[in-house]
Amino acid sequence: GPRGWVPDESVSEQFILTEPASQVKDKQPGIVKVYAIPVNSNYTESNLKTEVQERLKAISSTNFDRWDPSLTATRHLMGSLGVYANYSGTMANGVKVGGRIHCVSIDRVLYCIEIIYPLNYKDDYLNVFTKMRETIKRLQ
């Protein structure tokens, strides 16, 4: 992840990186979440789409006054075809945020990467997301 971001491994099956307070813009730190969850079988594209949509639904229920998710699309992650979607919205406190979630299923493990960022800096943070998506690897 980005140099200087603060890691948090306190949640099982999840790794979180948070932008340091000194770099926060528009009252919203950049946050990257990476998680791996064992599943009973490899997910199809349809299953991945449902997973992303359910995750978007869960995020939207966390104090948003305005919520605008994108449609889902496909893109490779860790060498396998995955499903992703973007979102933007305004929190109840007026903070404007954006985000992307991208999931893939490999060898009966669901891997997801999510980024949350201040909406006015979308391009900067999606560049961070792209770099992570292009370089993340599974250890065998």
Side-chain angles (χ1 to χ4, degrees):
R3 182 170 292 149
W5 285 34
V6 181
D8 177 355
E9 297 181 68
S10 64
V11 178
S12 177
E13 300 171 337
Q14 191 171 191
F15 181 74
I16 302 169
L17 288 169
T18 304
E19 189 172 28
S22 63
Q23 296 176 10
V24 171
K25 298 158 200 69
D26 294 346
K27 301 179 184 173
Q28 174 60 50
I31 301 169
V32 173
K33 298 178 182 180
V34 179
Y35 50 96
I37 303 166
V39 292
N40 291 330
S41 62
N42 280 327
Y43 281 27
T44 64
E45 184 178 321
S46 177
N47 296 129
L48 289 169
K49 181 177 178 178
T50 299
E51 183 69 33
V52 169
Q53 290 170 333
E54 288 298 315
R55 182 67 191 136
L56 288 171
K57 184 177 174 183
I59 295 167
S60 74
S61 69
T62 59
N63 215 14
F64 278 89
D65 279 348
R66 186 185 64 76
W67 176 250
D68 186 26
S70 73
L71 297 174
T72 59
T74 58
R75 180 175 278 157
H76 281 81
L77 175 64
M78 297 189 301
S80 294
L81 190 63
V83 173
Y84 75 97
N86 299 309
Y87 62 86
S88 62
T90 304
M91 305 293 291
N93 63 3
V95 174
K96 295 180 182 200
V97 301
R100 175 175 286 175
I101 184 163
H102 192 159
C103 297
V104 66
S105 178
I106 303 169
D107 295 335
R108 296 177 13 172
V109 177
L110 175 67
Y111 297 96
C112 295
I113 302 175
E114 180 182 344
I115 190 166
I116 305 153
Y117 52 83
L119 190 57
N120 288 329
Y121 296 86
K122 175 181 178 180
D123 292 342
D124 295 340
Y125 288 90
L126 287 182
N127 286 337
V128 168
F129 185 90
T130 298
K131 181 71 171 174
M132 290 188 70
R133 180 180 56 80
E134 291 173 348
T135 59
I136 194 167
K137 303 213 184 316
R138 289 183 321 135
L139 298 177
Q140 301 293 342

